Amino acid sequence: MHLRVIVNEMEAQKATEKTDMGSVLHDVAERIKHKGLVILISDLFDKPESILSGLQHFKHNRHDVIVIHVLDEAEVRFPFDRMTRFDGLEGYPYLVVDRARFAKPTWRRFRSSRRRSGAAAWRQQIDYVQVTTDQPVEVALTGYLAKRLSRTRAK
């Protein structure tokens, strides 16, 4: 019940300006006084070192941390085969991309960045899960939590 309310509220939000996720995470970590489970659901489009620093703050305060990295299916497959316009979010302008000149190296960097995000989280003992927008986030989250619970019980 609560998860559905949270997901509905997240879906209703519109990004309007650039986010400084690292400072937001540090601020929230300072406000939470009791050890608990922290779940970050994000596209992680911010400075990776800033995000990781904020997440480390939660770990330092002994919270259990899960990162749900939300990706659009097109970010995973990059199916574009001609000039494509990408609308910017959070105050960024739009970008027109010619796949032949731009896409391959950019997509490789993006894939590499995703791998580094997962590896950095693993090193900090932060659970990292990638989901795509074609799957409802509550389905991905409850499925992951069920797997995690079964692993914990098996130990």
Side-chain angles (χ1 to χ4, degrees), residues 118-151:
W122 181 80
R123 283 191 302 275
Q124 298 300 321
Q125 297 179 328
I126 295 169
D127 288 1
Y128 176 82
V129 181
Q130 286 184 4
V131 299
T132 54
T133 54
D134 61 335
Q135 179 182 24
V137 73
E138 67 270 21
V139 171
L141 181 57
T142 54
Y144 171 74
L145 290 173
K147 284 183 202 171
R148 179 179 158 150
L149 181 61
S150 67
R151 280 195 317 253

Side-chain angles (χ1 to χ4, degrees), residues 10-140:
M10 287 174 19
E11 288 174 347
Q13 299 302 310
K14 299 291 181 208
T16 57
E17 54 188 66
K18 295 177 185 170
T19 305
D20 180 1
M21 193 179 307
S23 65
V24 171
L25 292 172
H26 282 292
D27 183 51
V28 173
E30 282 298 313
R31 292 175 188 229
I32 299 175
K33 300 300 179 198
H34 300 288
K35 182 172 83 167
L37 176 63
V38 175
I39 302 172
L40 174 64
I41 302 172
S42 173
D43 60 11
L44 301 180
F45 281 135
D46 203 346
K47 297 179 195 107
E49 61 280 354
S50 177
I51 296 170
L52 189 57
S53 174
L55 294 172
Q56 287 169 338
H57 195 155
F58 285 107
K59 292 301 290 183
H60 177 76
N61 291 351
R62 301 176 33 130
H63 295 287
D64 192 4
V65 180
I66 301 171
V67 174
I68 307 291
H69 188 176
V70 181
L71 302 163
D72 188 277
E73 184 63 27
E75 292 174 305
V76 175
R77 293 183 300 106
F78 210 81
F80 311 102
D81 58 358
R82 60 180 169 222
M83 294 286 275
T84 305
R85 176 184 162 148
F86 295 92
D87 291 329
L89 299 175
E90 298 184 3
Y92 287 98
Y94 72 87
L95 179 66
V96 177
V97 174
D98 176 6
R99 180 184 173 105
R101 295 182 54 208
F102 178 79
K104 208 174 252 188
T106 301
W107 190 65
R108 278 193 202 119
R109 282 195 308 272
F110 179 72
R111 283 184 30 206
S112 175
S113 172
R114 285 185 5 229
R115 280 201 281 311
R116 284 193 314 273
S117 295
W122 181 80
R123 283 191 302 275
Q124 298 300 321
Q125 297 179 328
I126 295 169
D127 288 1
Y128 176 82
V129 181
Q130 286 184 4
V131 299
T132 54
T133 54
D134 61 335
Q135 179 182 24
V137 73
E138 67 270 21
V139 171

